[in-house]
Amino acid sequence: MGRHSLPHRSGAGAADPRPRPRRRTVAVATVLVLTVAVGGAAAIGGGLFSFGSSCQDSAVRITVAASPDMAPALREVADQARERDITSDGHCIDVTVTARESYQVAASLGSGRSAGVQAWVPDSDVWVDGVAARSRAIQVTKAGNIASSPVGVAMVPSAARSLGWPAKTYTWSELADASTRDDRLRLGAADPAHSATGLLALTRLGGATDGTRSGGIRAAALAKNLSPRTSDNDHQVLDTLPRDSSGAEQTDPKRNQALFLSEQAAFVHNSSSDRRLGLELFYPKDGSPRLDYPFTLVDRPRLSTDESRAALRFMTLSGESAGQRVLQRHGFRTDDDEVSGALVAKAGGRAPQPFDETAAEPLPEKAVEETLGTWTITVQSARITAVVDASASMAQPVPGTDRTRMDVTKAALLQALATFTTEDEIGLWKFSTRLDGDRDYRVLVPTQRLGDREGGNAQRARLAAAFNGLKPVPNGATGLYDTTLAAYKAATSGYAKGRFNALVLLTDGVNEDPGSISRADLVSRLRQLADPQHPVPLIAIAVGPDADKAEVEEIAKATGGSGQEVSDPSQIHSVILRAIVRAAALSRG
């Protein structure tokens, strides 16, 4: 079916006949089922999908960690399975559902620690993808998505109507402009580092998907404005709303009038018997990102065949009619093509708000990681020293452009500089060979607060001038090893508590200083200097075809950092942001 209109809050009206691609929310990974089943076809013959009314053997017990919004619904499905004696391969399934914040499970699994569960249902694929990118010790395997819920902007009635709800529709950028130009419209969110709702909304709101410098700057500005009004999780952010419609509550500067919120969270809030103030929901007309609740097997190679089959059998229950009714009662969408008018109305939606207009494509993982990187350095504040290769090879042209590697690197560094706040501490070194006597490096701008002034010039201006002044050294070689060790010593000795500390090194070649320490000695010294209690990850970026990714990766990993590779220097800014996300996640884990 197509779009449903809601002329009244009480129900749905006529359907829009426009065709839409059909997509079922619940999907069973058939190949996965056959993979975990020993003997393939024997799995079916042995009763993998058995509906027997009695148990033939002792129950197979599994534990499922679910996001707090999903856990109550899955507990109800689990209770029904016990009541109906649902079996898998002849064994009853006994499922315990525990509510766990998705970011906490992701941090545990990403650091290689067991979460003590056989399956996991976070609220978004972004958590599973993050674990898959960071952890090789624990495998996470998505088997299907059991529900969805679009993310929008919920407002108290007075704020919503001041913006023309429900007749007026907005894009994400228009909502961003509206929230920033009116001080009375205080916008709150759950911490994007802890909440997929906050992260997906900020990604769309900040325009990180447009790939432009202005998009990144807008995301940083929004993050800066939003950070004082964030709560730890999606439940706590609802507590920041006015408690009633009184003037004192509505004008209280500590209270938010608008929130990034999922439709399901708004549904539960508006359905609450003790609620004092309902919410109206804006669905941006350029598409709402969705929480998609992936059912995920945890550490599948270590699960027994019975456990794997039982977990998958439990997943299929959410796709059956009884399971779908449970999910719908809890405010989830179970079919993107069949949008319940009653659900939307209870969540605060009303035509012509485009409540079934999904984003054209899922947000790119790159854009989400860039937004999280911007959020990390904006909220936590950062102390970062950039160490830039100034060897002669940086004068080589970038294919397809009229600019050199150094030209594009400078532009990327200036783009990154624009996203930092006055509280961030940023510095700059350059290196080649014998730049300062026998030293291969020179400190161009010491690492200090961007807001600090010295001799009338702000640190930000000094850095911008230094970035613009970077030039390749004629006949200069790459003094990589000695420079890396010296810069890392300086970064660890200058560690700033309460900040994200990192060293960012960019090189387009391999070590060319025959008198330097060896790679093995460098790695050993870095391991000695690295302190898990005061982490300073090295983010080493190999730029261009002459750099050795394996080398920078080995060096960086000695500090808890990462080695990255870019073929085009214009990618440097986004690579730095994504590396910051991974380094910050590992330090939290």
Side-chain angles (χ1 to χ4, degrees):
M1 295 179 67
R3 178 188 304 278
H4 296 258
S5 61
L6 288 179
H8 303 289
R9 291 287 297 267
S10 57
D16 187 327
R18 289 177 296 170
R20 304 175 63 212
R22 184 165 182 79
R23 173 182 176 271
R24 295 291 299 180
T25 302
V26 179
V28 179
T30 305
V31 174
L32 178 63
V33 173
L34 296 179
T35 301
V36 301
V38 177
I44 300 175
L48 174 58
F49 299 107
S50 170
F51 287 83
S53 61
S54 62
C55 298
Q56 299 177 18
D57 250 325
S58 58
V60 179
R61 291 176 174 81
I62 62 170
T63 300
V64 178
S67 59
D69 54 344
M70 175 58 70
L74 288 187
R75 287 196 189 106
E76 193 171 331
V77 175
D79 289 342
Q80 289 182 357
R82 278 187 288 270
E83 292 168 2
R84 295 166 54 198
D85 286 341
I86 295 296
T87 63
S88 166
D89 201 23
H91 301 281
C92 277
I93 60 173
D94 186 359
V95 180
T96 298
V97 178
T98 177
R100 298 272 300 277
E101 292 288 352
S102 298
Y103 79 91
Q104 293 174 341
V105 178
S108 177
L109 297 177
S111 63
R113 298 195 306 269
S114 171
V117 299
Q118 289 72 47
W120 174 35
V121 185
D123 55 10
S124 174
D125 278 334
V126 299
W127 305 114
V128 184
D129 294 339
V131 171
R134 295 198 308 273
S135 176
R136 296 180 182 176
I138 294 182
Q139 184 183 108
V140 286
T141 308
K142 287 185 281 191
N145 298 82
I146 64 174
S148 71
S149 188
V151 173
V153 181
M155 298 187 187
V156 297
S158 59
R161 291 187 173 87
S162 73
L163 294 183
W165 183 95
K168 188 170 182 180
T169 57
Y170 291 82
T171 63
W172 281 99
S173 62
E174 289 168 348
L175 277 170
D177 292 342
S179 64
T180 54
R181 69 170 176 257
D182 189 344
D183 292 338
R184 295 170 298 174
L185 186 62
R186 294 181 289 274
L187 176 64
D191 185 345
H194 295 167
S195 162
T197 301
L199 177 57
L200 295 175
L202 185 61
T203 303
R204 292 292 285 128
L205 202 61
T209 55
D210 63 14
T212 65
R213 178 178 177 181
S214 61
I217 294 172
R218 184 165 65 250
L222 285 165
K224 182 179 179 182
N225 290 335
L226 190 66
S227 60
R229 310 198 71 83
T230 56
S231 303
D232 187 62
N233 56 49
D234 295 289
H235 176 74
Q236 291 180 8
V237 75
L238 285 163
D239 293 335
T240 68
L241 291 167
R243 289 169 291 192
D244 53 50
S245 58
S246 67
E249 284 289 311
Q250 295 290 324
T251 58
D252 185 343
K254 296 180 181 179
R255 297 288 176 186
N256 293 315
Q257 282 72 45
L259 305 174
F260 293 151
L261 212 61
S262 72
E263 180 183 74
Q264 191 272 342
F267 174 94
V268 172
H269 175 82
N270 288 350
S271 302
S272 174
S273 60
D274 61 353
R275 71 174 179 86
R276 300 181 183 178
L277 194 64
L279 291 171
E280 315 291 7
L281 197 55
F282 280 95
Y283 296 79
K285 61 186 178 184
D286 49 348
S288 297
R290 302 218 169 187
L291 304 180
D292 51 10
Y293 302 94
F295 192 97
T296 309
L297 294 181
V298 176
D299 216 3
R300 183 172 61 84
R302 292 189 174 94
L303 297 182
S304 70
T305 301
D306 285 343
E307 288 173 331
S308 295
R309 293 178 183 179
L312 292 170
R313 180 68 186 97
F314 179 65
M315 183 189 75
T316 66
L317 294 177
S318 64
E320 296 173 3
S321 57
Q324 290 200 338
R325 286 194 295 271
V326 170
L327 290 166
Q328 292 161 7
R329 284 200 304 271
H330 285 265
F332 295 101
R333 296 189 182 188
T334 57
D335 190 332
D336 288 347
D337 300 316
E338 299 281 350
V339 182
S340 165
L343 187 160
V344 172
K346 182 64 73 175
R350 182 175 171 180
Q353 290 296 314
F355 54 84
D356 60 351
E357 189 69 42
T358 60
E361 296 289 340
L363 291 173
E365 184 178 350
K366 172 185 172 183
V368 175
E369 283 197 317
E370 287 180 24
T371 298
L372 188 52
T374 299
W375 177 261
T376 300
I377 59 179
T378 299
V379 174
Q380 188 177 359
S381 292
R383 178 180 171 84
I384 296 176
T385 302
V387 183
V388 181
D389 191 343
S391 59
S393 58
M394 290 291 283
Q396 293 186 14
V398 174
T401 75
D402 59 356
R403 297 191 295 173
T404 66
R405 293 177 184 173
M406 182 63 86
D407 291 335
V408 180
T409 298
K410 291 193 294 187
L413 291 170
L414 287 165
Q415 180 182 5
L417 180 63
T419 66
F420 289 101
T421 72
T422 56
E423 295 303 313
D424 294 311
E425 300 176 17
I426 311 295
L428 175 65
W429 293 26
K430 75 173 183 177
F431 71 98
S432 179
T433 47
R434 302 188 178 220
L435 283 183
D436 186 4
D438 289 336
R439 293 178 176 176
D440 292 339
Y441 54 87
R442 179 176 296 152
V443 178
L444 299 181
V445 181
T447 305
Q448 297 174 1
R449 285 179 66 256
L450 288 178
D452 286 351
R453 289 187 170 274
E454 186 176 296
N457 292 321
Q459 175 80 348
R460 188 186 295 275
R462 291 195 296 271
L463 274 168
F467 286 152
N468 279 312
L470 284 170
K471 294 180 180 179
V473 177
N475 301 315
T478 305
L480 179 62
Y481 294 165
D482 284 349
T483 299
T484 301
L485 181 59
Y488 196 71
K489 281 182 178 178
T492 53
S493 65
Y495 180 85
K497 187 176 180 181
R499 294 177 179 267
F500 174 77
N501 292 251
L503 181 69
V504 176
L505 184 145
L506 301 101
T507 181
D508 74 340
V510 296
N511 185 63
E512 297 173 325
D513 183 356
S516 73
I517 63 172
S518 68
R519 186 198 300 186
D521 286 341
L522 171 61
V523 170
S524 176
R525 297 284 296 277
L526 291 175
R527 285 176 178 156
Q528 292 172 6
L529 289 167
D531 180 359
Q533 301 304 314
H534 302 90
V536 184
L538 167 61
I539 298 170
I541 302 175
V543 182
D546 301 324
D548 186 341
K549 182 189 177 184
E551 179 176 64
V552 298
E553 196 167 55
E554 180 184 3
I555 293 169
K557 283 189 174 180
T559 69
S562 62
Q564 311 288 326
E565 181 179 32
V566 294
S567 57
D568 181 351
S570 66
Q571 301 167 347
I572 289 171
H573 178 232
S574 62
V575 167
I576 289 173
L577 289 177
R578 298 202 302 275
I580 284 173
V581 171
R582 295 179 185 184
L586 287 173
S587 67
R588 288 194 299 267

